[in-house]
Amino acid sequence: MRTYPLTLAAALAATVLLTGCSSDDTSGGDDVKNADRPSDSACALGDMGVEVGAGAAPAAGDTGTVTVTLTNKGARCTLKGFPGVDLLADDKTTSVSPDEGAKAQPLTLGKGGTTSFTITYVRGEAGSAESLAVRKASFTLPGDTKTAHELTWSYGAVDWTEGKKPSVSGFETSGD
C-alpha cells in the first residue's frame, strides 16, 4: 500500500516539472516584451525647450543647414537613436534619413542640459519636378514618437535628387 502513494506523488512531481519546462512559452521574457516599449527615462518633447537656427542656402544648388537646439526642462532623461524628421509640402510628406555613416550614440541629459541636431539640405530650384516645395518641417524624439514639433520652413525648395536628398545628424552635446 505504501508504493501507491509514492508512485502517485512521483508522477505528480514529474508532471509539474515537465509543465514548467514547456517549450511552448512564447512570451519571450521581459526583454523581448519590452523591446519596442520606450524607456521610462526617454526624453519627452513636452519637457524640452526648442530653438531653431539656420544657415539657409541662398540659391539653388547651395547647401544649407537648420540646427535645432533642445534644452531639457524636465527630469534626467536619455535620447537613444536619431530624431525623426519629416518635410511637409502641400501634397507630400517625406521622411529625412540620418547622415550617411552616422551612428546614434545614447545621450543622457540632466535638467538644463542641451543637445542639438542638424538638418542638412541642398536648395532646389523652385517649381522643379526634382524639388520639394517644403512649407513645414516636423520632428519627433526617439521614445516619444507620438509628439511632434512643427516649424515653419522658410528656406526655399529642397532638392530631392539622388545624392542631394536632405539628411539629419545624430544628437550632439552642447555646452560643457
Side-chain angles (χ1 to χ4, degrees):
M1 295 220 33
R2 289 186 179 198
T3 58
Y4 179 71
L6 290 177
T7 305
L8 182 56
L12 286 172
T15 302
V16 169
L17 285 173
L18 289 174
T19 303
C21 295
S22 171
S23 63
D24 293 336
D25 181 14
T26 56
S27 69
D30 286 340
D31 291 339
V32 172
K33 286 191 291 189
N34 295 326
D36 293 332
R37 228 183 270 171
S39 167
D40 288 336
S41 63
C43 294
L45 194 53
D47 291 336
M48 297 287 170
V50 178
E51 290 182 37
V52 178
D62 291 340
T63 300
T65 59
V66 177
T67 301
V68 177
T69 301
L70 304 170
T71 303
N72 184 14
K73 296 181 177 185
R76 182 181 181 95
C77 64
T78 303
L79 295 164
K80 296 179 184 177
F82 288 94
V85 177
D86 290 328
L87 299 179
L88 301 92
D90 291 333
D91 60 345
K92 186 176 184 179
T93 298
T94 57
S95 294
V96 177
S97 297
D99 289 338
E100 190 174 316
K103 297 203 185 307
Q105 300 293 324
L107 177 64
T108 300
L109 294 175
K111 186 171 185 166
T114 60
T115 186
S116 62
F117 65 90
T118 301
I119 303 165
T120 303
Y121 70 100
V122 174
R123 185 159 180 177
E125 193 172 317
S128 169
E130 296 175 339
S131 295
L132 187 63
V134 176
R135 302 283 180 241
K136 291 183 179 185
S138 171
F139 71 88
T140 59
L141 300 180
D144 184 22
T145 58
K146 293 182 181 179
T147 307
H149 181 86
E150 281 192 354
L151 54 110
T152 301
W153 188 271
S154 58
Y155 317 115
V158 174
D159 193 326
W160 209 258
T161 58
E162 200 59 43
K164 294 184 181 179
K165 291 182 180 179
S167 63
V168 62
S169 72
F171 294 101
E172 300 171 11
T173 56
S174 300
D176 292 333

